[in-house]
Amino acid sequence: MAIDPIRTIVIIGGGSAGWMCAAALSRSLRNLSCRIRLVESAEIGTIGVGESTIPPIISFIKSLGIDENDLIRKTQASFKLGIEFKDWVRPGHSYIHPFGPTGLPTKNVEFYAYWRKRHESGDARPLEEYSLQAVAARQAKFMRPIDLAKSPLQTITYALHLDASLLGAYLRGYAEVRGVTRTEGKVRSVALRAADGFIASVTLESGECIEGDLFIDCTGFRGLLIEGALKTGYEDWTHWLPCDRAFAVACERTGPFSSHTLAAARDVGWQWRIPLQHRVGNGYVYCSRFIDDTAAHDMLMSSLEGRALRDPLPLRFTTGRRRLVWNKNCVAIGLSAGFLEPLESTGIHLIYRGIALLVGSFPDRNFRQANIDRFNRQVAFEFERVRDYLVVHYTRTEREGEFWRHCRNIELPESLKERIELFSSYGRIVRDENELFPVQSWQYLFTGHEVEPSGYDPLAEGLTPEEAQQALDEISGLVARCATTIPLHQDFIAQHCAAPAE
Ligand SMILES: Cc1cc2nc3c(=O)[nH]c(=O)nc-3n(C[C@H](O)[C@H](O)[C@H](O)COP(=O)(O)OP(=O)(O)OC[C@H]3O[C@@H](n4cnc5c(N)ncnc54)[C@H](O)[C@@H]3O)c2cc1C
């Protein structure tokens, strides 16, 4: 059958998801004669949070041909080497989940295998002391990788903290230059084709009717097309991740200009701190069954490091995912596709994964079902693996209080049970292809939350205790020496990408 090309893509929504889609599609589809339109409503506005990212954001920026320093200046961004999880296991406990590699294999034995063996005998330092990213983050330092063979300075891996509204504005400029047309207006109704229930058009409050072949729902939690019009259904994961509300507020920065995100456990939920060039983003994620809104609001406001710059924004959500993220001729991207709380900063990542998967399975107007099914399976898989990763934070804790006792008793998803069982025998992580978190992230998670295996990887026997110890000492020494050569985060920004004064 002949290909019947998509002629018009209509994106509804101009938050981070909408403008990331518009920017990426305007570039990826530039050789096709396909019109891209975006509709957004200033009256409704955007959610205005979503400021901490993970390393694939750097590839996303590169794939658009954007100059990273230019984006950093214009979005008041800063650098991120990982996330510190403070007080999660018990008050006073802290570990960093750093990006990038930790340690080095020695004589073909994986680093974690021989680290764990020495750890069990009490002879290894904490895992993070073998990661340059973690050590630099603890010292509020940052630099980009440099070309220095056999040095951890060569593999520095980082992400960004950025202002969500400024990111949207930046990508809007990018997309409009590349031919995306923007319409300001509120969608009033969605018309479905009688024959097959596909979306035919949307009508704005102005009366304008916009037709399209492919619709991308970026309307946030509303899910105006995917749910409002197509009634796709939502899988609720609250029984695994019970937090359902948040307050978000920006404040002046008076504390350190750190190069990591802070996620600190609280009596009911947790609080984030995201340092940007011009302010600090803060938020408190909580469970309304265990704390009321006034107490949550007061808890956040009483723990800010500087003057609040506006009133806190209340947010409500249901953790889970849309049963089908691609339904008929509508693809949901962003919060309309599902929500996982921002504990590991995965929201924006799931947006560009959605976009990349869409480009990789781009349809024609025949919308082959096998293509759609494959896309949905892949998105579901990626959401579920991120969910499992988050669940460990809540369930592996000794914290006191009704909320944390409730969390400890959560029945784990089968996929997570299996992973923990596999880890429990030899301390090995078994990871499927296309999962977001690399093996090392799982190692940090399990080690940080004190999930202890009963033994270590038998391959660690390939090193004598002396050889293993020597390798560990060399690596931690090298990491510590490299860290001394890294500038302070604030100095690196001042030298390379400071935003103009406001
Ligand atoms: C508390 C919290 C903290 C978060 N923190 C992080 C984080 O640190 N890192 C991270 O990666 N992600 C984070 N996220 C997720 C992140 O905020 C979102 O993934 C991201 O902002 C994308 O949002 P969106 O574009 O899907 O929705 P929105 O920003 O809500 O945009 C929706 C758009 O749809 C438009 N719209 C809606 N209805 C209509 C209509 N009828 N007609 C026309 N237009 C309409 C709106 O005007 C708006 O433009 C967080 C989310 C929450 C809730």
Side-chain angles (χ1 to χ4, degrees):
M1 194 187 283
I3 290 297
D4 184 3
I6 299 281
R7 294 163 308 196
T8 308
I9 299 174
V10 182
I11 301 170
I12 309 292
S16 302
W19 284 115
M20 283 173 76
C21 273
L25 294 181
S26 68
R27 182 147 174 118
S28 305
L29 308 182
R30 61 189 182 279
N31 297 329
L32 305 183
S33 38
C34 175
R35 183 172 181 209
I36 303 175
R37 297 193 64 174
L38 184 145
V39 179
E40 66 176 324
S41 158
E43 186 194 322
I44 295 177
T46 65
I47 192 160
V49 288
E51 309 203 311
S52 186
T53 65
I54 53 177
I57 186 85
I58 304 299
S59 316
F60 178 75
I61 293 167
K62 277 204 181 76
S63 73
L64 296 182
I66 288 174
D67 172 34
E68 191 181 300
N69 280 341
D70 183 57
L71 179 117
I72 289 173
R73 283 187 206 100
K74 292 180 180 151
T75 59
Q76 298 275 0
S78 69
F79 294 96
K80 173 179 173 188
L81 292 169
I83 306 174
E84 180 188 357
F85 290 93
K86 192 165 168 290
D87 303 332
W88 280 82
V89 177
R90 66 188 77 82
H93 181 274
S94 156
Y95 75 93
I96 287 199
H97 168 199
F99 302 136
T102 294
L104 283 172
T106 298
K107 286 190 161 177
N108 285 333
V109 180
E110 286 303 323
F111 173 78
Y112 190 77
Y114 68 86
W115 174 83
R116 179 145 280 288
K117 186 178 166 196
R118 299 304 292 162
H119 172 71
E120 278 177 21
S121 59
D123 294 316
R125 293 165 185 273
L127 194 53
E128 65 180 56
E129 291 192 30
Y130 303 92
S131 154
L132 182 55
Q133 283 79 193
V135 171
R138 288 272 183 215
Q139 300 173 13
K141 290 181 160 187
F142 178 78
M143 68 187 252
R144 291 196 176 101
I146 55 169
D147 196 8
L148 193 61
K150 295 189 182 161
S151 165
L153 292 166
Q154 196 181 27
T155 50
I156 293 175
T157 309
Y158 63 97
L160 302 175
H161 300 124
L162 24 78
D163 182 305
S165 311
L166 297 177
L167 174 68
Y170 190 96
L171 293 177
R172 174 181 163 186
Y174 177 98
E176 285 184 326
V177 165
R178 285 161 182 78
V180 173
T181 29
R182 171 187 179 271
T183 304
E184 164 61 39
K186 200 165 159 187
V187 173
R188 188 181 61 204
S189 60
V190 182
L192 304 184
R193 294 195 311 227
D196 54 12
F198 278 45
I199 297 177
S201 63
V202 295
T203 302
L204 308 187
E205 286 197 334
S206 63
E208 185 184 358
C209 175
I210 299 177
E211 294 182 341
D213 301 320
L214 173 64
F215 287 81
I216 306 193
D217 186 340
C218 295
T219 60
F221 287 135
R222 284 174 189 79
L224 195 71
L225 310 184
I226 195 81
E227 197 58 52
L230 295 178
K231 310 277 180 266
T232 303
Y234 193 79
E235 209 172 282
D236 183 336
W237 289 345
T238 315
H239 52 291
W240 284 312
L241 292 164
C243 288
D244 57 355
R245 292 189 193 181
F247 276 107
V249 69
C251 76
E252 284 177 346
R253 181 157 50 78
T254 59
F257 196 177
S258 42
S259 47
H260 66 272
T261 301
L262 175 65
R266 298 286 183 226
D267 287 349
V268 180
W270 63 280
Q271 184 172 343
W272 78 74
R273 176 184 187 272
I274 301 175
L276 299 170
Q277 292 197 36
H278 59 324
R279 62 170 170 80
V280 171
N282 306 276
Y284 178 37
V285 175
Y286 60 99
C287 177
S288 60
R289 276 172 58 199
F290 295 91
I291 186 171
D292 65 41
D293 294 340
T294 309
H297 170 281
D298 294 350
M299 202 295 299
L300 177 63
M301 297 308 278
S302 64
S303 61
L304 298 182
E305 68 190 57
R307 188 174 60 89
L309 298 174
R310 56 189 75 107
D311 288 337
L313 174 73
L315 297 157
R316 292 181 177 204
F317 45 81
T318 306
T319 298
R321 70 168 171 82
R322 202 66 61 195
R323 286 192 191 285
L324 299 174
V325 166
W326 185 341
N327 190 2
K328 300 183 191 287
N329 60 341
C330 172
V331 180
I333 299 215
L335 297 171
S336 57
F339 180 71
L340 286 162
E341 58 173 276
L343 194 48
E344 291 280 351
S345 320
T346 44
I348 290 176
H349 172 78
L350 290 169
I351 294 174
Y352 49 77
R353 272 304 288 160
I355 299 169
L357 289 170
L358 174 60
V359 171
S361 35
F362 199 71
D364 75 342
R365 295 173 78 226
N366 291 305
F367 287 98
R368 306 282 175 202
Q369 194 57 42
N371 186 51
I372 296 175
D373 292 344
R374 164 100 188 101
F375 174 96
N376 281 325
R377 276 198 305 276
Q378 185 62 36
V379 172
F381 171 79
E382 296 194 18
F383 262 81
E384 282 161 17
R385 288 305 186 269
V386 174
R387 174 203 66 199
D388 287 0
Y389 196 88
L390 301 184
V391 169
V392 174
H393 293 278
Y394 283 98
T395 50
R396 292 294 178 146
T397 170
E398 296 168 5
R399 285 187 69 97
E400 297 295 335
E402 211 189 334
F403 171 73
W404 292 102
R405 271 196 297 280
H406 167 82
C407 292
R408 260 199 297 282
N409 290 322
I410 286 171
E411 171 79 18
L412 303 183
E414 287 305 316
S415 44
L416 177 57
K417 272 191 203 160
E418 188 193 350
R419 193 184 296 260
I420 291 177
E421 265 165 36
L422 288 167
F423 182 77
S424 296
S425 44
Y426 298 128
R428 278 195 200 126
I429 302 293
V430 182
R431 179 181 174 273
D432 293 313
E433 209 192 327
N434 285 331
E435 276 188 47
L436 164 58
F437 291 110
V439 165
Q440 287 182 344
S441 290
W442 284 96
Q443 290 166 343
Y444 273 100
L445 178 72
F446 285 157
T447 309
H449 284 268
E450 301 180 353
V451 180
E452 295 294 340
S454 56
Y456 54 83
D457 190 331
L459 295 180
E461 294 294 300
L463 291 179
T464 64
E466 294 72 28
E467 285 171 328
Q469 196 59 49
Q470 188 186 348
L472 289 177
D473 292 345
E474 281 174 12
I475 293 169
S476 60
L478 178 64
V479 164
R481 281 196 304 283
C482 286
T484 62
T485 68
I486 299 182
L488 285 175
H489 183 214
Q490 63 195 30
D491 294 343
F492 186 89
I493 288 184
Q495 193 182 349
H496 297 279
C497 43
E502 290 190 308

